[in-house]
Amino acid sequence: MGMGTSIFIIRWINFLTMLLAVLVIIFGIWMGTNHDGCRKSLTLPVMGLGGFIFVVSIVGFLGALKNNSILLWIYLIMLCITLVAIFVFTVLAFIVTNNGSGHSVAGLRYKEYQLQDYSTWFLKQLNNTDNWMHLRSCLVKSEDCNNFSKRYKTLKQYKLAKLTPIEAGCCRPPSECGYPAVNASYYDLSFHPVDSNHDCKLYKNSKAVKCYDCDSCKAGVAQYMKTEWRLVAIFNVVLFVVLLIIYLVGCCARRKAARNRSKG
């Protein structure tokens, strides 16, 4: 492989890396547009990663275009740092999302979630007062619970609905409380709770209260975060493999280019 061929390969590799960076940014934008402001915890980091990869690819492209060995070394070092960061984050993401799953309830088409089932990191984040007050105010303003009466006209429709984890945990009392549902947004709280679950006392029919202070609501948010983190982790696995191949090919082309230069 001649020096010109090596440089040509590096240029094309960086062009493909630019396209990959654009795809990462688009993925981050998609995450942002498909979720409200309460649930964009990973949108900016993903877009930031895409932006960083784009900058790295420009450095490599300019290094190959100008045949500048310093820029090419900077490119390979930055790409290596990116690979290490993606690897570390992905491993941590799989560890954090390893625990926690829903519990099936007879007669319901969705699952209920318990906060203690999730990882210590999630518990620490959600039990932090400042974090939860921000999420709580956001959830109150969102459409998760406020449009139940519009979506489910009859009690039968509501009971046959497949609620999301956040809807199941924040918009209604846990099933074990035993409160009978009058309609989709109102429960008869005159019944004494049949369970000692503290959430049973916290639930109110008010739109501003609901079960937003309940552990079941935090568990619903934890399940959402787990799903989002797992999605990003899987995306990162694919991204890591592609970038690793690009890095190895780039190293090989750089090495051969340097060898040809020394011979010349």
Side-chain angles (χ1 to χ4, degrees), residues 211-224:
C211 216
Y212 295 125
D213 295 316
C214 302
D215 282 349
S216 62
C217 186
K218 293 180 180 179
V221 174
Q223 178 63 26
Y224 170 82

Side-chain angles (χ1 to χ4, degrees), residues 97-244:
T97 59
N98 189 48
N99 297 328
S101 60
H103 301 268
S104 299
V105 179
L108 298 180
R109 300 182 63 190
Y110 52 88
K111 294 181 178 180
E112 293 186 338
Y113 303 86
Q114 297 180 1
L115 187 60
Q116 64 269 21
D117 292 342
Y118 294 87
S119 68
T120 304
W121 187 87
F122 277 139
L123 294 179
K124 184 177 180 180
Q125 296 300 313
L126 293 173
N127 284 325
N128 179 283
T129 303
D130 292 335
N131 289 348
W132 185 248
M133 289 306 294
H134 169 71
L135 284 170
R136 186 189 187 284
S137 62
C138 216
L139 289 169
V140 171
K141 297 175 184 177
S142 72
E143 294 299 314
D144 288 294
C145 301
N146 294 335
N147 64 353
F148 264 32
S149 57
K150 296 179 181 179
R151 288 164 55 190
Y152 310 115
K153 302 295 185 180
T154 65
L155 189 58
K156 183 178 180 180
Q157 286 181 333
Y158 174 55
K159 290 184 176 181
L160 293 176
K162 284 187 176 182
L163 303 184
T164 66
I166 290 180
E167 290 172 343
C170 303
C171 307
R172 49 180 291 282
S175 297
E176 56 196 21
C177 297
Y179 293 134
V182 178
N183 54 49
S185 58
Y186 191 89
Y187 284 79
D188 186 350
L189 303 183
S190 63
F191 282 72
H192 185 75
V194 297
D195 192 90
S196 58
N197 189 331
H198 184 59
D199 288 353
C200 298
K201 297 180 180 179
L202 294 176
Y203 176 82
K204 304 297 179 187
N205 286 311
S206 169
K207 289 185 177 181
V209 181
K210 290 296 182 179
C211 216
Y212 295 125
D213 295 316
C214 302
D215 282 349
S216 62
C217 186
K218 293 180 180 179
V221 174
Q223 178 63 26
Y224 170 82
M225 293 172 65
K226 172 186 174 180
T227 303
E228 185 182 54
W229 276 61
R230 184 60 63 92
L231 176 64
V232 173
I234 293 172
F235 179 81
N236 277 352
V237 169
V238 177
L239 179 63
F240 179 84
V241 171
V242 174
L243 285 179
L244 181 61

Side-chain angles (χ1 to χ4, degrees), residues 4-40:
T5 306
S6 299
I7 296 300
F8 177 78
I9 291 176
I10 294 175
R11 289 175 184 173
W12 269 103
I13 284 174
N14 284 282
F15 178 72
L16 294 175
T17 309
M18 287 182 192
L19 294 180
L20 182 64
V22 172
L23 289 176
V24 174
I25 295 173
I26 291 174
F27 179 67
I29 294 173
W30 174 83
M31 291 179 64
T33 55
N34 279 269
H35 307 305
D36 56 44
C38 308
R39 291 162 286 188
K40 294 183 179 180

